[in-house]
Amino acid sequence: MKKKIFYISAVLLLAEVSLKSKHAYSESEYIIQPHVIEKEKLPVNVTRTALNWHVVDHIAEGQADVGIIYGDNFDIGTIYGDHRKENIFLNLTYTVSSKVEQSLSDDQIFTSDYQGKYLQFKTATKNNEIILTETSPQTMMGMGLQMSFTGSCSVLDPNAPPDKQCAFTPSLITDRNSIDPKYFVPTRIEQKGNIGDEISEKSIAVLAQPGFQSRGADGQYIGLDLYLPNIGATPGNSISDTSSMKRKEKIENTALAGYSRVRKIIRSNYAKSVMGVTVHGFGGVWDGDNIEINMPLAAGAQILPDVDPSLVGSDKKANTNINNNLFNAASNTRLPDNSWTIYQAGLGSADHASVQDGLAVLPRAYFNTLWLGLSPVRETSSSYRFYYDPVGPERVLTHVGGEGGASANISFLSATDQQTINSQALDEFYVQAYLTMYARDVNFIGITTLNYETVYYPHLSYSGNLTGTSYAWRYYTGLLFTDIIKSYIGTDYTRHFWKNWLYTGAVIGYLNPDQDYYSRLESELSRRIGTWRKNTASVFTGFRYAFDRQDKDDMLDLTDYLRDPVDNVFNIGVGLNLNSWAEVKVAYNVGDVLPDSVDSSWSVSGNIKASDYIILQAFFTPYTSQESYGCSASIDLESILSKKANLMLGWKHQTYEYGSDPFDHQMTTEHDYYTLGFSYRW
C-alpha cells in the first residue's frame, strides 16, 4: 500500500508542476475591471459542471432526490419484506456559495471565472446480500444393520476351554439420541465390546431368542446394532417432484458525503478560447474501509493548484462568442461512475467560429482531464449450507435376515487385520444377521449466500476528447488501487453522418478485471428512414460483447446461475416517434451469435406524453436469466411549486431464472418492486 500512495503522490506532483500558471493583472491593466455578474444575466452553459452525482451551475441553490423502493410481501411493522429490505435513498447537493466574475484585460483577453462551494450527501450501498434458498423434494434412504457372530474361544486362543464362548464381532451400537436433526447422521457410535470378549451361558441363551438381540444377560452388549437413517437420497418423494427457489435480498446503506470547491475559468481572445475546470473535494464514505488512506489523500489533494489557462493577448478585439463545441467537450469528459471526486483538473481549447459560404462553422474542441477520486469496488464472497427438512415419517421398505448355528444353512465370515474367522470351519457357532431398509420423505434445503461488500478505493484517471459538431472521440486510461491494482485503457466514438445516420462504438480493456470492471466491446448503427406528418421512424442494429470478466476460479463455490453471467447481446430493431407525444422502440435479440449471449427474444419499450405535465413509460425485457417488465409515471410539478420538481412513480416485475431441477422443471422467482421518488431543484 505504501507503494500505491507513493505512486499517487508522484503523479499528483507532476500534475502540480504542469498545471500551474499565473494570471495577475494590476488595476491599470484592465479595460473592464473584474466584477461579479448578476446570475440571471448569464446562461448556465458557461458554468455548468458535473460534480459527482449532480450537475451544478451558478443558478441552482440546491438539488435533492429522495425516494423509497420496496418489494412485495413487505411487513410495514418491521419494514421488512419477504425477499427485500425496504431501501430509502437520498441524493442532496446544497450550494454554500457561488459567483461569477468577468473582466477584460487591456490586451483584449476576456475572462469568466466561476467559483462555487457545495455540500453533498448521497445514500450509497455498503453491503448487499442475496440469499437463495432452493427446496428440492427427495426420498432419503436409510439402513439398519444388526449382526452378531459367536463361537468357541479356542479359535482365538488354542489354550481356551472348548466350552467357552467368545464374540467374533465388536460391539458397536448407534446412539439413536445422537442423530443430527439437520443431516440425519449419527454423531455418536458407542463401542460396548471387542472381538474376543467372553460370552456367558446366560447371554448365549438370550441370543437364541427370536429376533435380533444386542444385549445378553447382565447388560452385556453383543454384536453390531447400527442405525444409519441417511445413506443417500433420490430426487422426488411421495408428495412432490418439483423443486422451488426463494430469493431474499438485504441491503445495508451508508453515506457518501463531503465538501467540494468548483472553479471554471474561461478565457477568450480574438482567435480562440480556453477553459480550465478544477474540482477539489474533501469527503467520501466516512464509516467504510480504507478511511485511513482515503481521508488523508483527500486532505492532501486540497493544496493542489487550480487550472488557470493562459492565452496570448493582442490588440485585436476579444471575441466573447465562445465556440459551443468547447462546452460540449467539457461535458463529454469521461468521469468514473458512482465515485467521489477528490481532485479534477481539466483543460480545453477551441478556435472561434468562422464563416464559410455564409454559414457559421464551428471548429472542433479539445478537452483533457486528470481525475483523482474514490471509486466503489464490490468484493464478493459466498457461502453454502444445507439441511434436510422431514415432511413425513420414516417407513420400512424391507426387512430381511435370520439367525442360527452350525445346524442351519448359514455361512458367515469375520475378518480383522490379524485374523479371518469363517463359520464353515467351526463345529459350533451362532450368527444373527438382519438388514432393514428405510425411506423418508424430506425436502433438501440448499442455501447459497452471495455477499457484495462495497469498498471505496483510490482511483486515478486520465481522459480526453475531441468534439466536433457532428462527432465526438474520447480516450481514457486509469488505475484503480485495490489490493491488486486494476488498470484499463479504452476509447469510444460517436458520429452523425450522411444526414440520417448515427454510429457509436466503444472498447475498453482491463487488467485484473472483476464483475463490474471488465473488458467489453460495444457498437450500434442507426438510421432515420422516414418523416411524415411530424412522425419519424428509425432502424438500428448493435451488439455488446464482454470478453473478459472475473476469473471463474474465484467463484467456484457458486452455482452456475450465479457464476456465469449471460449478458452479451446482438440485436436489430425499429423505433417510432409519433409527433413527439409517443415513442416506441422494439428490438429483437438474436441468440447464439455471440458467446454467452442472451436467448433469442423480443424487448419493447415506449413512453407517452399524456399531458403537458405527465409522461408514462413502459418496458419489457425478456433476457435469459432475468425477465422484467414494468411501467412508470413522471409528473412535472413546476407549475405547482414554481421550481423544477418531479414526482416519480414506478412498478417493475422481475423474474429470475435459476436453471432446471432434476425433473427438468424450470426454477424461478418472481418479485414486484415499487418506487416512489421526488426530485427538487431550487
Side-chain angles (χ1 to χ4, degrees):
M1 185 59 69
K2 292 182 179 179
K3 292 182 178 179
K4 298 178 185 179
I5 300 302
F6 174 80
Y7 187 89
I8 295 175
S9 302
V11 173
L12 294 178
L13 182 59
L14 292 175
E16 181 177 1
V17 173
S18 61
L19 295 176
K20 277 188 175 179
S21 59
K22 297 181 179 179
H23 281 272
Y25 294 95
S26 64
E27 292 185 4
S28 61
E29 293 176 314
Y30 286 104
I31 298 175
I32 300 177
Q33 296 289 332
H35 61 289
V36 177
I37 300 296
E38 295 182 19
K39 294 183 177 182
E40 294 76 13
K41 295 182 178 181
L42 193 66
V44 294
N45 66 322
V46 177
T47 59
R48 184 183 291 122
T49 305
L51 179 62
N52 300 319
W53 48 87
H54 278 148
V55 175
V56 298
D57 55 52
H58 67 289
I59 297 294
E61 296 180 4
Q63 303 174 67
D65 305 315
V66 62
I68 183 172
I69 303 174
Y70 57 91
D72 52 1
N73 300 323
F74 67 95
D75 186 334
I76 297 178
T78 60
I79 320 181
Y80 196 84
D82 178 62
H83 71 278
R84 185 182 179 91
K85 186 178 180 180
E86 187 178 57
N87 191 16
I88 300 174
F89 63 87
L90 171 64
N91 301 336
L92 176 67
T93 298
Y94 174 72
T95 304
V96 178
S97 65
S98 68
K99 67 176 182 178
V100 181
E101 287 188 353
Q102 293 185 348
S103 63
L104 180 64
S105 66
D106 61 0
D107 57 354
Q108 291 294 321
I109 295 179
F110 167 78
T111 300
S112 176
D113 188 354
Y114 159 62
Q115 298 181 48
K117 300 176 181 179
Y118 301 92
L119 292 174
Q120 289 190 300
F121 176 94
K122 180 183 180 181
T123 303
T125 300
K126 181 178 182 181
N127 195 289
N128 187 13
E129 186 177 74
I130 298 173
I131 303 173
L132 301 175
T133 303
E134 180 181 355
T135 301
S136 299
Q138 293 183 353
T139 300
M140 179 184 291
M141 306 303 296
M143 180 183 72
L145 180 62
Q146 299 169 310
M147 61 177 61
S148 68
F149 182 18
T150 60
S152 174
C153 294
S154 61
V155 176
L156 301 175
D157 182 6
N159 299 320
D163 59 343
K164 188 176 182 181
Q165 298 289 306
C166 287
F168 296 152
T169 58
S171 178
L172 299 175
I173 299 177
T174 298
D175 181 356
R176 298 204 174 203
N177 293 324
S178 74
I179 303 299
D180 189 291
K182 290 185 177 180
Y183 309 112
F184 288 85
V185 294
T187 60
R188 185 168 61 251
I189 295 179
E190 298 178 304
Q191 183 171 357
K192 300 290 188 176
N194 298 305
I195 294 177
D197 286 351
E198 183 178 347
I199 309 299
S200 67
E201 292 183 3
K202 292 182 179 180
S203 294
I204 293 295
V206 172
L207 295 180
Q209 295 177 6
F212 180 77
Q213 311 297 325
S214 63
R215 296 186 66 176
D218 302 324
Q220 185 179 23
Y221 288 88
I222 303 168
L224 304 177
D225 189 1
L226 300 178
Y227 172 59
L228 305 174
N230 182 8
I231 60 172
T234 58
N237 56 38
S238 62
I239 300 174
S240 174
D241 62 357
T242 302
S243 300
S244 64
M245 184 76 74
K246 290 185 178 180
R247 184 180 194 272
K248 179 182 289 186
E249 185 172 355
K250 298 179 181 180
I251 297 176
E252 180 184 355
N253 289 326
T254 186
L256 186 62
Y259 170 78
S260 298
R261 295 178 286 124
V262 177
R263 190 175 187 188
K264 189 174 185 178
I265 301 175
I266 301 172
R267 285 196 167 86
S268 180
N269 60 15
Y270 74 96
K272 66 183 297 184
S273 54
V274 293
M275 179 188 297
V277 176
T278 309
V279 176
H280 291 89
F282 180 75
V285 178
W286 294 87
D287 65 341
D289 294 339
N290 288 339
I291 190 171
E292 70 282 359
I293 296 174
N294 295 342
M295 290 308 167
L297 184 63
Q302 302 307 303
I303 64 173
L304 295 175
D306 292 349
V307 180
D308 193 355
S310 61
L311 268 182
V312 177
S314 70
D315 57 358
K316 296 181 180 181
K317 185 177 180 180
N319 186 350
T320 58
N321 293 321
I322 309 300
N323 185 342
N324 195 57
N325 283 337
L326 181 58
F327 295 109
N328 291 337
S331 298
N332 284 339
T333 298
R334 183 185 186 272
L335 300 175
D337 295 332
N338 303 314
S339 300
W340 175 265
T341 300
I342 290 177
Y343 180 65
Q344 178 182 334
L347 181 63
S349 66
D351 293 338
H352 290 310
S354 60
V355 178
Q356 298 180 9
D357 300 327
L359 299 176
V361 177
L362 295 180
R364 61 190 182 185
Y366 300 85
F367 205 89
N368 296 285
T369 298
L370 179 69
W371 183 92
L372 175 65
L374 306 175
S375 291
V377 175
R378 291 193 305 167
E379 299 183 349
T380 305
S381 61
S382 62
S383 63
Y384 179 78
R385 60 188 179 92
F386 70 91
Y387 64 92
Y388 293 93
D389 179 26
V391 294
E394 186 178 65
R395 59 188 183 273
V396 176
L397 291 181
T398 183
H399 177 72
V400 295
E403 57 186 275
S407 60
N409 186 20
I410 295 177
S411 178
F412 198 86
L413 186 72
S414 174
T416 65
D417 293 339
Q418 293 80 21
Q419 190 173 13
T420 299
I421 304 173
N422 193 330
S423 62
Q424 293 181 348
L426 302 178
D427 294 330
E428 185 179 355
F429 65 89
Y430 197 84
V431 170
Q432 298 180 104
Y434 293 93
L435 176 65
T436 306
M437 298 300 298
Y438 302 98
R440 184 197 298 266
D441 291 338
V442 298
N443 284 330
F444 177 84
I445 311 296
I447 301 174
T448 300
T449 301
L450 181 63
N451 186 276
Y452 293 107
E453 181 184 3
T454 301
V455 180
Y456 283 78
Y457 287 95
H459 185 175
L460 181 64
S461 172
Y462 172 79
S463 66
N465 71 85
L466 176 61
T467 299
T469 304
S470 60
Y471 65 90
W473 173 46
R474 304 195 305 176
Y475 43 90
Y476 30 85
T477 185
L479 296 169
L480 191 53
F481 294 93
T482 61
D483 294 335
I484 300 177
I485 296 178
K486 303 179 187 296
S487 61
Y488 61 89
I489 185 171
T491 184
D492 58 65
Y493 183 74
T494 301
R495 187 177 187 90
H496 293 268
F497 61 100
W498 295 342
K499 189 177 180 178
N500 293 323
W501 290 82
L502 173 63
Y503 172 76
T504 60
V507 60
I508 186 170
Y510 276 87
L511 183 64
N512 299 319
D514 62 19
Q515 69 270 19
D516 298 314
Y517 299 94
Y518 56 91
S519 306
R520 58 192 179 273
L521 177 64
E522 300 174 272
S523 182
E524 182 174 317
L525 179 65
S526 63
R527 184 184 188 277
R528 191 173 60 184
I529 58 175
T531 301
W532 70 100
R533 296 183 180 181
K534 297 183 180 181
N535 301 317
T536 61
S538 61
V539 293
F540 61 88
T541 183
F543 70 90
R544 178 182 186 274
Y545 176 51
F547 55 87
D548 186 15
R549 273 201 155 179
Q550 185 178 30
D551 190 342
K552 293 180 182 179
D553 290 340
D554 293 342
M555 303 177 73
L556 283 179
D557 54 343
L558 297 181
T559 47
D560 288 340
Y561 48 79
L562 290 177
R563 189 176 68 239
D564 297 330
V566 180
D567 55 2
N568 294 332
V569 63
F570 172 78
N571 59 26
I572 55 176
V574 61
L576 299 174
N577 187 321
L578 305 178
N579 198 19
S580 299
W581 66 269
E583 292 183 6
V584 179
K585 184 177 180 180
V586 180
Y588 179 68
N589 306 308
V590 185
D592 299 327
V593 175
L594 298 172
D596 297 329
S597 65
V598 302
D599 290 340
S600 296
S601 58
W602 291 91
S603 61
V604 182
S605 62
N607 64 74
I608 297 176
K609 188 176 181 181
S611 70
D612 291 339
Y613 309 105
I614 301 176
I615 296 178
L616 304 177
Q617 295 178 315
F619 68 92
F620 173 62
T621 56
Y623 279 4
T624 299
S625 58
Q626 296 185 24
E627 178 182 281
S628 63
Y629 53 86
C631 61
S632 63
S634 176
I635 305 173
D636 188 350
L637 302 178
E638 185 173 2
S639 60
I640 300 175
L641 301 177
S642 299
K643 297 288 185 180
K644 290 185 177 181
N646 279 280
L647 179 65
M648 292 154 287
L649 305 172
W651 163 73
K652 181 176 73 171
H653 182 84
Q654 185 83 47
T655 300
Y656 296 92
E657 298 182 357
Y658 305 99
S660 300
D661 67 6
F663 294 94
D664 204 29
H665 299 139
Q666 184 69 35
M667 292 187 295
T668 63
T669 60
E670 297 188 23
H671 309 285
D672 291 291
Y673 298 96
Y674 303 89
T675 303
L676 173 63
F678 179 71
S679 178
Y680 185 60
R681 178 183 172 99
W682 68 94

